[in-house]
Each structure stands twice: as structure tokens, then as C-alpha cells.
Amino acid sequence: MAWLDTKQLGIFKQQRVGKNGRLFEIYKLRSMKMMPDNRLNVTRLGHFWRRTKLDELPQLLNVLLGDMSLVGPRPDITGFADILEGDDRIILSVKPGITGPASLYFKNEEHLLAQQTDPEFYNRTVIWPKKVELNKTYIAEYSFYKDIIIILKTICTSFGTSLRAWRSNL
């Protein structure tokens, strides 16, 4: 379906920083297409996939390949996790996850960034430091039980978002 919506290959790869700072290819459903003016634009179906986090489903392949786990700090592009210093580098001691506490906390990150006059600055000075704090706490207080709770919250959040979106289209 992504192919029909974007007129490009439905799954794409992007380089991310993983455990121990090792780079790997993450898989995602394509949710954007190139416009005639060379801008990227989120497609109608892409909005739904992003809102419900269905664009993350191909990352189950990353879990099977051993690059990721179901729960953990989200893998970032270079320029963030790979330049962590001091005790913040503990984030690189675990496999990145499809979901995690920072993902839940910033479930509306795209919307939050869209409201900023300088989204990159806001991301680096507000969002990223909070993600580091949340991920360090997650690692320090790790438990299998908490991972189950995070997975359930992620499913409920994604399903709730999907259900609200479906109702608003009626």
C-alpha cells in the first residue's frame, strides 16, 4: 500500500546509531513522497501510519536481525546518540527499541516540533535532553515487567489514536 500512496518502494532504510554506537540500517514504511518542488510531503496514508505508529512495523525485521529489541531507547540518526558523553553513554549499552519510555512521552513529537519557530533548536535543547534523561532512567530501573507495561501502553496509545482518527472521519 505504501507503494501506491508514494509511487516509490514501500519500505525504506535509514542509517541509525545502535548498541555500542554501531551504525545499522533501520526499516520503515515510506510515508512521504517527493513533490514537484523537491519538498518531501507526508501522504494522506502516511499521516495515518505515523499517527498509529504502523510505519514502525518493518522494524520487527530489525529485531529478528538482532539490531533492535522491542523496548529500549529509540535509535537516532548520527549527530545525537553517537556524540553522547560521560554517563549519558549508558544509552549505547543496550539495543535500541521499537518503543520505549521516551517514545511514549513524546508520542506527539512531530506535532510539537511543527509548532516551533526553530524545530531543530527545540529538538536539540528541549526534546533530546529529556529523551536522554528518560532513557537513562529506563536503563537504571530496567525490568521485564516494565517492558511489558511499555509495550501495552504503546499498543493502547496507537490503537486509541487510530480509533479517534477513524471516528473523526465518520
Side-chain angles (χ1 to χ4, degrees):
M1 286 176 86
W3 178 81
L4 292 172
D5 199 33
T6 64
K7 307 297 186 247
Q8 295 175 319
L9 188 61
I11 294 179
F12 76 98
K13 299 184 295 185
Q14 187 179 50
Q15 199 169 67
R16 297 290 177 100
V17 179
K19 185 176 179 180
N20 299 321
R22 186 180 66 79
L23 297 178
F24 72 99
E25 299 288 330
I26 193 171
Y27 298 97
K28 293 186 88 165
L29 278 179
R30 188 175 299 278
S31 59
M32 302 177 90
K33 67 179 176 182
M34 187 66 74
M35 302 304 288
D37 61 359
N38 289 329
R39 280 184 312 115
L40 280 173
N41 195 26
V42 179
T43 66
R44 183 177 292 172
L45 193 53
H47 280 291
F48 174 77
W49 286 335
R50 286 172 170 222
R51 197 171 45 243
T52 59
K53 304 299 183 197
L54 288 173
D55 63 325
E56 311 288 349
L57 277 178
Q59 289 164 37
L60 289 172
L61 179 60
N62 288 111
V63 173
L64 292 173
L65 292 171
D67 293 323
M68 293 177 68
S69 62
L70 292 176
V71 181
R74 285 292 296 156
D76 265 292
I77 58 173
T78 56
F80 287 92
D82 56 321
I83 61 171
L84 288 170
E85 296 178 341
D87 64 341
D88 291 347
R89 289 192 64 79
I90 193 167
I91 293 169
L92 297 174
S93 71
V94 299
K95 287 182 183 178
I98 293 175
T99 188
S103 298
L104 289 171
Y105 188 89
F106 287 108
K107 65 182 179 228
N108 296 321
E109 183 176 346
E110 269 187 57
H111 178 71
L112 184 60
L113 288 171
Q115 295 176 325
Q116 306 306 314
T117 54
D118 188 345
E120 186 174 338
F121 178 78
Y122 188 82
N123 184 43
R124 287 191 181 276
T125 60
V126 177
I127 293 176
W128 176 245
K130 183 64 177 179
K131 284 182 178 181
V132 169
E133 174 192 329
L134 290 166
N135 289 325
K136 285 171 58 176
T137 300
Y138 164 77
I139 292 166
E141 299 174 359
Y142 172 79
S143 79
F144 181 71
Y145 172 76
K146 287 182 181 179
D147 275 6
I148 298 299
I149 298 301
I150 289 170
I151 290 169
L152 292 173
K153 282 183 177 180
T154 299
I155 292 169
C156 290
T157 299
S158 296
F159 179 74
T161 300
S162 174
L163 189 58
R164 282 189 299 278
W166 177 74
R167 283 184 184 154
S168 70
N169 289 329
L170 289 180

